[in-house]
Amino acid sequence: MYDAIISHVRVSPEATTPIEVDPPRKVPPSKSAAGLPAIFSTAKHGLTKMGVLGSLSNLSRVNKFNGFDCPGCAWPDPDESRTFAEFCENGAKAIADEATKERAGAEFWSKWSVAELSKKPDHWLNRQGRITHPLILRENSNHYEAITWDDAFNRIAQEFTNLKSPEEAVFYTSGRTSNEAAFLWQLLARSTGTNNLPDCSNMCHESSGVALGQSIGIGKGTVKLEDFNKAELIIVVGQNPGTNHPRMLTALRDAKSSGASVVSINPLIETGMVRFKHPQNPLEVMGYGNEISDDHIRVRINGDQALFRGFAKAILSNHSEDTDFINEYTAGYENYRAEVLGTEWDEIVEISGVEKSEILRIGNLLGKSKSTICCWAMGLTQHKNSVATIQEITNILLLGGNIGREGAGLCPVRGHSNVQGDRTVGINHNPPTEFLDSLKNEFDIEMPRNGGLDAVESVKQMNMGNVGIFLSMGGNFLSAMSDTNATAEGLKKCRLSVHISTKPNRSHLVTGRASIILPCLGRTEKDYTGGKEQFITVENSMGVVHKSIGKRKPASLQLLSECAIVAGLATAIEEEVGISGIQWDNLVSDYDRIRDCIERTVRGFDSYNIRCRLDGGFYLPNDPRDSRIFNTENGLANIITHKLQPIFVKEDQFVMMTIRSHDQYNTTVYSTNDRYRGISNGRRVVMMSREDIEKRGWSEFQSVSITSHFDGKQISADKWTIIEYDIPPGNVATYFPESNVLIPLESVADSSNTPTSKSVVVTIDPAS
Ligand SMILES: Nc1nc2c(c(=O)[nH]1)N[C@H]1C(S)=C(S)[C@@H](COP(=O)(O)OP(=O)(O)OC[C@H]3O[C@@H](n4cnc5c(=O)[nH]c(N)nc54)[C@H](O)[C@@H]3O)O[C@H]1N2
Ligand SMILES: Nc1nc2c(c(=O)[nH]1)N[C@H]1C(S)=C(S)[C@@H](COP(=O)(O)OP(=O)(O)OC[C@H]3O[C@@H](n4cnc5c(=O)[nH]c(N)nc54)[C@H](O)[C@@H]3O)O[C@H]1N2
Ligand SMILES: [Mo]
């Protein structure tokens, strides 16, 4: 009797990664990126996870015209010539991780309760391998159990009948999802009556999209890969390509041999930017490698807006702006000029943490360069003033006429391999009216017109009890989102959570009252939906849409493709809540039909089915890049003026950034090592300057607690280990996802609502 009662109360699972037992160690950091250690690491991951033949056949197909798109990152592949091995160490890890021989089958889930699993570290969870069956965690049960696809779809569909309004469902998307699956996913959400389509972009490049949309009329970058070889100056700011976009180092190396200078702007000196050895060039692998950056500017965290203001001051003082371009194509110049010239040097130096002479030196380089590219990633997008900073950078490129010119342009470097494509085909909580109109025309159903919820607003609504069902197409929302405990509480208030996933993660453990996992095919696997070989398409960071075709045998016979899952779900939901007339089964029995729908509803996809089959795919139109047309309200590129917005910290406070180690893919942690930073056996570390450690009488390896402060709210987490690191005094760094627990939900970027994962105000206290 007693046992029976206990088994009907779910033991509460932990939301955060368990605290590590062993202390972290310091080891000599890699002196260069790639090279032999990278080859060894690639081989180790490949051989242990996929076996010898598996490794050779999988890796030989990455990023080939007739192979699959690397799920590692969104960096483009060369348009024409491709080498035998068009992948990098970390791409190989992402592939090995999906192609693993391990299986988290139904018996695994019946052996472990969700509470027990939640006490395991992230890398242990991921190591359990691919999910093989649809699974259900019933209300009050402690274990997932196998369920048939039909029962899973029907159970989810029934929950839709319990919603008081369609707005009580939230459809999250992570950026690995193909164009085809993403299009169907947004169509399903909208056909049920909601624009609640938060996505990983909300935590990632949303600030870039918002800033560029206002400034130049398109929320995307304006360069092609070939521009790198024609550039005079390339600035890489707030980005760690050696780890997160390793193939970009090849482009930077080639750009340098064509005469470009590369400037890196970062609080840290990241390994790849210092020295890089091309892994497919034997001479380089054995030798000393290429110096990638000619200059490294050690900016303070969130000092970039001030730094670029300083560059603008240098350009304007030297009269090196491109007046013809400014007059013909831009608005707002006079206002900006007055603001820049009125900003005092003292303020610029103080906020940026960079000497005036250094700012002038780079400012002069910018003024002289006839073709400048500026690349950035999360170091710029995850601050309160991210939109303002990105617009400051855009202003500088506009001052030099660097948009719509060869070898020049804005280059936000996207993260997930299809995050840009997902947005293009409609994953957007704030969709443009024209897109909704064209969907209405295409499918002959009314589309919801209210704005939907983004990631942060979804968590707020969950916590208010306004979300009944949370469905997620990939990703790991619990661990990726800020304020882990608030996100966990929100998720627990949902009646049902649904995860379309490949591997186990923490979002499967902290769930709604009931939870369902729908296991899907990965990018590397054969897709025989509808009885024929299907392929999918993706868009890379530079707007090239191309096909990707998996060749591996699926990890389990039970797996369905993401497209087939959406169709199955949609059909079941419609049986419960009303038929839309969308021919879901017909669409997924031949993905060409989905692409035809995309062609008719999204601009730039003309002859989609023909052009996506061409080697290398096709470029989507990009008016600023292609013809200096700016689709803003006034038809001009807007030079937008902002006041400098420093972060105010008290004497004892630090500004903390939360970053990736060399051995993780977002919330998927491969190991507890960070070879490039010389940290091993531990991730719960706080990187701190020697000056800060000494000033407070602390010591390296000391255990500390960290408390974040935002608007009167404080969150503490203990047992972090201090690691001495070359980082500006007053700044510290921790790894995400462990540190997400400290980032207050309310702390977001202006306009883009992105969690401020790179500027968290904290105090640090020795463990008592
Ligand atoms: N192997 C691997 N590849 C990946 C990923 C992964 O996790 N692993 N993730 C993918 C995804 S989704 C994304 S979005 C990208 C992320 O790629 P990145 O943006 O390179 O990733 P982060 O580790 O967040 O690194 C941010 C960089 O910005 C710097 N930085 C932090 N704050 C500031 C600041 O205020 N100013 C300046 N100038 N610099 C700052 C940090 O020191 C760090 O070098 O990578 C993608 N590729
Ligand atoms: N503090 C802090 N937080 C951050 C960031 C940060 O820099 N600091 N970065 C943010 C950024 S840039 C991003 S993009 C988000 C990432 O947020 P998400 O995209 O939500 O997280 P991922 O860790 O990439 O998701 C990993 C999971 O995706 C599933 N998966 C893998 N491949 C596939 C597939 O092919 N199909 C399907 N359906 N599922 C698959 C697996 O189950 C895996 O466990 O995190 C954000 N969170
Ligand atoms: Mo990202």
Side-chain angles (χ1 to χ4, degrees):
M1 180 62 189
Y2 182 70
D3 277 0
I5 293 168
I6 292 291
S7 73
H8 286 289
V9 178
R10 187 176 308 152
V11 179
S12 193
E14 311 276 334
T16 52
T17 305
I19 292 172
E20 295 154 357
V21 186
D22 294 341
R25 285 195 302 268
K26 263 178 110 173
V27 291
S30 293
K31 289 206 174 63
S32 63
L36 274 181
I39 290 177
F40 289 142
S41 170
T42 310
K44 191 178 108 199
H45 277 266
L47 295 180
T48 50
K49 292 191 170 165
M50 307 185 284
V52 181
L53 285 178
S55 301
L56 279 177
S57 78
N58 285 326
L59 296 179
S60 67
R61 291 198 182 105
V62 192
N63 294 338
K64 292 301 163 45
F65 291 137
N66 224 353
F68 58 87
D69 179 63
C70 179
C73 73
W75 187 256
D77 313 300
D79 283 344
E80 279 143 22
S81 59
R82 300 210 176 162
T83 57
F84 165 70
E86 229 16 276
F87 62 89
C88 66
E89 174 196 357
N90 278 350
K93 283 185 204 164
I95 292 158
D97 200 62
E98 179 177 303
T100 175
K101 290 181 288 179
E102 303 299 325
R103 298 289 176 266
E107 47 316 323
F108 164 82
W109 297 94
S110 62
K111 176 174 171 203
W112 299 92
S113 72
V114 281
E116 285 165 343
L117 288 174
S118 75
K119 297 205 172 69
K120 300 286 184 187
D122 294 331
H123 55 94
W124 185 94
L125 279 180
N126 176 58
R127 255 205 327 262
Q128 303 314 307
R130 292 287 298 278
I131 305 169
T132 54
H133 291 69
L135 297 157
I136 183 163
L137 178 67
R138 296 183 199 278
E139 196 160 342
N140 291 332
S141 169
N142 284 299
H143 289 81
Y144 275 98
E145 51 196 277
I147 183 173
T148 64
W149 280 103
D150 279 346
D151 287 349
F153 289 148
N154 290 335
R155 170 71 182 81
I156 298 164
Q158 275 157 22
E159 201 61 61
F160 271 81
T161 61
N162 295 331
L163 298 181
K164 287 200 274 311
S165 113
E167 310 282 354
E168 286 189 352
V170 166
F171 294 76
Y172 174 70
T173 316
S174 164
R176 244 184 222 189
T177 300
S178 63
N179 283 352
E180 292 75 4
F183 182 79
L184 293 183
W185 189 236
Q186 61 81 34
L187 186 60
L188 170 61
R190 298 197 160 108
S191 69
T192 68
T194 182
N195 283 311
N196 287 345
L197 284 155
D199 72 331
C200 67
S201 229
N202 299 147
M203 315 168 207
C204 184
H205 265 294
E206 191 74 50
S207 304
S208 308
V210 170
L212 298 178
Q214 292 170 356
S215 294
I216 60 166
I218 189 169
K220 299 184 183 183
T222 67
V223 292
K224 293 183 173 176
L225 191 52
E226 65 204 39
D227 286 312
F228 278 69
N229 291 332
K230 296 171 190 152
E232 245 180 70
L233 177 62
I234 302 173
I235 298 193
V236 180
V237 48
Q239 197 198 341
N240 177 16
T243 286
N244 297 313
H245 303 92
R247 286 177 303 121
M248 178 175 168
L249 297 183
T250 311
L252 292 175
R253 178 200 65 168
D254 294 350
K256 282 199 62 155
S257 38
S258 311
S261 304
V262 178
V263 176
S264 144
I265 301 177
N266 200 310
L268 307 182
I269 300 181
E270 301 284 26
T271 298
M273 295 306 292
V274 185
R275 206 167 284 283
F276 161 67
K277 299 178 183 179
H278 194 293
Q280 272 87 49
N281 180 330
L283 288 176
E284 279 184 28
V285 166
M286 305 309 291
Y288 197 47
N290 294 270
E291 296 244 7
I292 292 284
S293 74
D294 302 274
D295 253 303
H296 178 262
I297 305 297
R298 191 171 177 258
V299 69
R300 247 187 222 137
I301 293 178
N302 197 30
D304 308 87
Q305 190 195 2
L307 180 66
F308 280 82
R309 177 66 52 90
F311 296 157
K313 225 168 144 71
I315 294 169
L316 292 174
S317 313
N318 295 339
H319 303 288
S320 35
E321 63 270 38
D322 180 342
T323 337
D324 291 343
F325 178 87
I326 293 171
N327 291 339
E328 189 172 349
Y329 296 106
T330 72
Y333 168 72
E334 288 303 335
N335 200 10
Y336 180 61
R337 184 187 155 81
E339 184 70 29
V340 170
L341 296 177
T343 313
E344 299 296 334
W345 274 112
D346 286 353
E347 196 186 356
I348 292 172
V349 170
E350 165 74 24
I351 301 174
S352 66
V354 183
E355 298 284 322
K356 181 177 170 189
S357 56
E358 248 187 301
I359 303 180
L360 283 175
R361 186 161 52 81
I362 306 298
N364 292 342
L365 272 183
L366 268 160
K368 281 199 210 106
S369 165
K370 290 280 158 273
S371 45
T372 303
I373 292 177
C374 188
C375 308
W376 70 90
M378 296 305 101
L380 287 197
T381 62
Q382 301 173 331
H383 303 278
K384 177 164 194 306
N385 56 342
S386 285
V387 169
T389 301
I390 295 164
Q391 289 182 335
E392 193 81 28
I393 292 180
T394 308
N395 292 352
I396 292 202
L397 290 211
L398 289 171
L399 287 183
N402 281 300
I403 292 186
R405 175 192 280 165
E406 275 201 336
L410 293 157
C411 182
V413 183
R414 303 280 162 172
H416 260 304
S417 50
N418 196 39
V419 61
Q420 185 158 315
D422 291 348
R423 215 11 107 76
T424 304
V425 301
I427 301 295
N428 191 344
H429 59 283
N430 249 331
T433 312
E434 312 82 75
F435 176 63
L436 295 178
D437 290 343
S438 53
L439 284 180
K440 181 176 179 228
N441 278 346
E442 173 74 18
F443 297 103
D444 202 20
I445 48 170
E446 210 34 78
M447 289 290 149
R449 301 285 162 161
N450 297 344
L453 301 172
D454 65 8
V456 167
E457 296 310 312
S458 295
V459 174
K460 288 186 183 163
Q461 290 301 323
M462 285 176 192
N463 274 293
M464 290 194 272
N466 294 336
V467 179
I469 310 179
F470 173 77
L471 304 104
S472 111
M473 172 56 89
N476 180 5
F477 190 71
L478 170 71
S479 304
M481 255 302 286
S482 51
D483 214 331
T484 313
N485 288 323
T487 304
E489 287 314 307
L491 286 167
K492 285 194 242 168
K493 290 205 173 85
C494 300
R495 282 192 295 278
L496 178 67
S497 41
V498 179
H499 315 268
I500 301 171
S501 308
T502 51
K503 309 270 304 269
N505 64 47
R506 215 159 279 281
S507 296
H508 303 141
L509 311 178
V510 178
T511 64
R513 267 185 256 156
S515 171
I516 290 179
I517 303 178
L518 304 174
C520 65
L521 293 172
R523 184 90 54 86
T524 58
E525 290 165 325
K526 286 183 182 153
D527 180 350
Y528 272 98
T529 304
K532 58 180 281 199
E533 189 178 55
Q534 309 265 8
F535 66 86
I536 51 106
T537 57
V538 291
E539 175 185 343
N540 67 31
S541 203
M542 291 177 189
V544 177
V545 177
H546 62 95
K547 77 171 188 238
S548 168
I549 181 157
K551 294 287 182 192
R552 282 182 49 251
K553 197 171 139 229
S556 146
L557 289 174
Q558 288 270 331
L559 303 185
L560 294 182
S561 74
E562 291 176 343
C563 288
I565 294 175
V566 185
L569 206 49
T571 310
I573 293 172
E574 290 194 1
E575 269 173 30
E576 295 289 338
V577 299
I579 304 295
S580 67
I582 298 168
Q583 306 287 307
W584 298 101
D585 278 341
N586 181 269
L587 286 175
V588 295
S589 61
D590 183 349
Y591 296 177
D592 277 1
R593 296 183 189 138
I594 310 176
R595 286 185 282 269
D596 284 337
C597 295
I598 297 177
E599 178 174 339
R600 289 190 291 263
T601 48
V602 186
R603 179 181 165 226
F605 284 88
D606 314 65
S607 311
Y608 191 0
N609 274 313
I610 297 171
R611 291 196 296 159
C612 74
R613 286 177 162 84
L614 303 176
D615 285 352
F618 62 95
Y619 276 92
L620 287 175
N622 184 310
D623 294 334
R625 180 193 68 202
D626 302 337
S627 42
R628 288 190 162 170
I629 290 174
F630 300 97
N631 300 312
T632 52
E633 264 176 35
N634 56 12
L636 295 168
N638 289 308
I639 300 185
I640 299 174
T641 305
H642 294 274
K643 294 273 176 220
L644 292 189
Q645 299 169 35
I647 307 182
F648 293 102
V649 286
K650 300 201 182 110
E651 181 67 26
D652 62 335
Q653 293 178 327
F654 295 85
V655 181
M656 176 177 86
M657 57 176 169
T658 61
I659 54 178
R660 291 158 170 78
S661 81
H662 191 61
D663 231 6
Q664 73 183 84
Y665 191 88
N666 296 339
T667 68
T668 301
V669 175
Y670 303 130
S671 83
T672 48
N673 301 330
D674 189 349
R675 195 175 84 238
Y676 282 7
R677 298 203 182 95
I679 298 170
S680 97
N681 198 43
R683 293 177 45 88
R684 209 174 167 85
V685 296
V686 47
M687 292 166 240
M688 191 184 280
S689 70
R690 176 182 301 178
E691 198 182 311
D692 277 329
I693 299 176
E694 285 177 353
K695 195 162 108 188
R696 290 164 177 82
W698 296 341
S699 55
E700 193 171 25
F701 300 111
Q702 183 168 342
S703 177
V704 290
S705 66
I706 308 180
T707 305
S708 66
H709 303 260
F710 181 79
D711 215 11
K713 174 168 167 176
Q714 297 189 3
I715 312 176
S716 296
D718 53 10
K719 299 213 168 76
W720 300 82
T721 302
I722 296 181
I723 292 287
E724 184 187 315
Y725 204 81
D726 182 5
I727 183 170
N731 290 174
V732 290
T734 49
Y735 293 125
F736 118 85
E738 288 80 350
S739 50
N740 258 333
V741 68
L742 289 161
I743 305 175
L745 185 65
E746 300 75 15
S747 177
V748 292
D750 297 335
S751 308
S752 66
N753 221 25
T754 298
T756 59
S757 310
K758 295 290 187 278
S759 40
V760 190
V761 175
V762 298
T763 46
I764 297 180
D765 297 290
S768 45

